[in-house]
Amino acid sequence: MASFSSSSSSHLIIMNMVFLVLFSGTSSAQLSPDFYSKSCPNLFYAVKSTVHSAIYKEARMGASLLRLFFHDCFVNGCDGSLLLDDTSSFTGEKGAAPNLNSVRGFDVVDSIKSAVEKVCPGVVSCADILAVAARDSVVILGGTSWNVKLGRRDARTASQGAANSSIPPPTSNLNALISRFNALGLSTKDMVALSGSHTIGQARCTSFRARIYNETNLDASLAQTRRSNCPRTAGSGDNNLSPLDLQTPTAFDNNYYKNLVNRRGLLHSDQQLFNGGSTDSIVRTYSNSQSNFVSDFTAAMIRMGDIGPLTGSSGEIRKNCRMTN
């Protein structure tokens, strides 16, 4: 009887240890809004004050910071890999076709990281800084806030090839957009809601030249206006900018969807969301209700932030967002 009791207790101890290991592994992989509540209580103030200053200097920067988060999460998950400069061992994402001469705001991320390091050195990842800066940018430009889940760690490598294949180009059709978002665990409704981030920001002539000269599902007056700043000939005015939302390019609202209903989407991929296809009804709902859009957008942003994070002992907490430790 004694030997049975002994072996049972030993078995129980082993099972408890296995449970603890499994449980701790699971909990370490969970992101949480209060991840830094004790280790960096001044995180949110440090980020928001720096983002606010950057947007005050240039309103467009809010859209740029939001876009950095998108382009990071779409390539191997939300791991800060986009921020890495090229090294002798890998060619990073900054030079990929969707990013080259297009993504911007890296200097602002450096400033945010510097501000955060002053209040809690070596604690907060660059991946999490991108997530918080994206939320703050939306809020500062008039959008609604949400609880950003935190606890991501930073990648030690990056891939230009992955960036080229993972980020949907502005020439994408509806099926390609749905497929790409679905592959990342995001629904079609998530895709339409997240596309609403184009209610702020600017696009380069190279991104919409083919649309304004060749496509017919485009309001004629908008096409004429945009042609004045985007010559037909490739290589001429390639980097000239036009607002994605002509009405309120620095206000986070639902005008983007109203534009789509009126065939005033600047990018081919934008107008695909309202072009006689399966997403027309979602666009119409958002065009009629800013509250519906905002609610679905914030939920989709939280889901996007859950894509492939590095947690626990994976990755690292970079001292400098541009390079590994």
Side-chain angles (χ1 to χ4, degrees):
M1 197 70 172
S3 63
F4 175 76
S5 172
S6 171
S7 65
S8 292
S9 61
S10 298
H11 180 71
L12 194 61
I13 290 169
I14 291 170
M15 288 303 293
N16 282 338
M17 288 176 67
V18 169
F19 175 78
L20 282 171
V21 169
L22 288 172
F23 181 77
S24 63
T26 303
S27 63
S28 70
Q30 298 299 313
L31 304 180
S32 164
D34 58 3
F35 187 84
Y36 298 110
S37 60
K38 293 179 180 176
S39 59
C40 191
N42 294 319
L43 166 64
F44 294 125
Y45 176 78
V47 176
K48 190 164 190 176
S49 59
T50 311
V51 172
H52 194 279
S53 175
I55 293 177
Y56 181 78
K57 290 176 186 171
E58 183 197 14
R60 181 190 173 206
M61 187 52 69
S64 299
L65 292 172
L66 178 57
R67 189 159 176 252
L68 282 177
F69 186 50
F70 271 82
H71 282 222
D72 182 44
C73 290
F74 266 65
V75 185
N76 296 327
C78 312
D79 62 0
S81 58
L82 173 60
L83 304 174
L84 289 171
D85 289 338
D86 295 350
T87 71
S88 57
S89 59
F90 66 82
T91 303
E93 298 165 27
K94 291 179 179 178
N99 296 330
L100 186 64
N101 299 320
S102 182
V103 290
R104 58 196 294 276
F106 298 110
D107 53 337
V108 176
V109 174
D110 292 340
S111 297
I112 299 169
K113 177 64 171 172
S114 177
V116 171
E117 286 295 299
K118 283 178 184 172
V119 295
C120 47
V123 173
V124 182
S125 68
C126 299
D128 277 346
I129 282 173
L130 282 184
V132 178
R135 187 271 310 273
D136 290 349
S137 295
V138 170
V139 173
I140 291 166
L141 293 175
T144 301
S145 186
W146 63 92
N147 290 325
V148 180
K149 291 159 67 174
L150 301 166
R152 302 169 191 81
R153 288 167 66 84
D154 295 321
R156 292 190 174 101
T157 188
S159 169
Q160 186 173 111
N164 279 323
S165 62
S166 299
I167 301 169
T171 53
S172 299
N173 63 27
L174 182 59
N175 287 339
L177 291 169
I178 291 172
S179 175
R180 182 62 198 133
F181 278 72
N182 287 176
L184 295 171
L186 298 169
S187 70
T188 299
K189 187 165 78 168
D190 289 335
M191 183 272 290
V192 179
L194 290 170
S195 297
S197 60
H198 284 179
T199 189
I200 54 175
Q202 311 259 338
R204 293 186 304 145
C205 170
T206 51
S207 298
F208 59 84
R209 175 182 279 128
R211 172 155 167 75
I212 62 174
Y213 287 103
N214 302 328
E215 297 185 16
T216 55
N217 62 340
L218 174 64
D219 176 72
S221 64
L222 178 67
Q224 186 175 359
T225 302
R226 295 283 71 92
R227 287 172 184 171
S228 67
N229 193 41
C230 182
R232 183 190 291 268
T233 308
S236 177
D238 283 2
N239 292 319
N240 290 354
L241 298 171
S242 292
L244 288 158
D245 167 14
L246 196 59
Q247 284 79 14
T248 52
T250 59
F252 201 89
D253 54 29
N254 67 334
N255 273 337
Y256 167 80
Y257 300 102
K258 295 178 180 179
N259 289 334
L260 297 185
V261 170
N262 292 309
R263 299 187 310 152
R264 294 176 69 84
L266 183 60
L267 305 180
H268 174 84
S269 54
D270 285 334
Q271 197 60 55
Q272 284 288 295
L273 304 185
F274 192 86
N275 195 39
S278 61
T279 53
D280 282 17
S281 59
I282 306 173
V283 169
R284 201 173 284 284
T285 296
Y286 293 160
S287 74
N288 291 326
S289 171
Q290 178 150 321
S291 62
N292 274 350
F293 159 53
V294 166
S295 174
D296 288 352
F297 176 83
T298 55
M301 283 294 290
I302 292 169
R303 278 191 283 275
M304 186 176 75
D306 284 339
I307 299 172
L310 297 172
T311 58
S313 59
S314 300
E316 64 182 14
I317 304 297
R318 278 184 229 141
K319 296 183 180 72
N320 180 333
C321 290
R322 295 174 182 262
M323 62 184 72
T324 57
N325 293 340

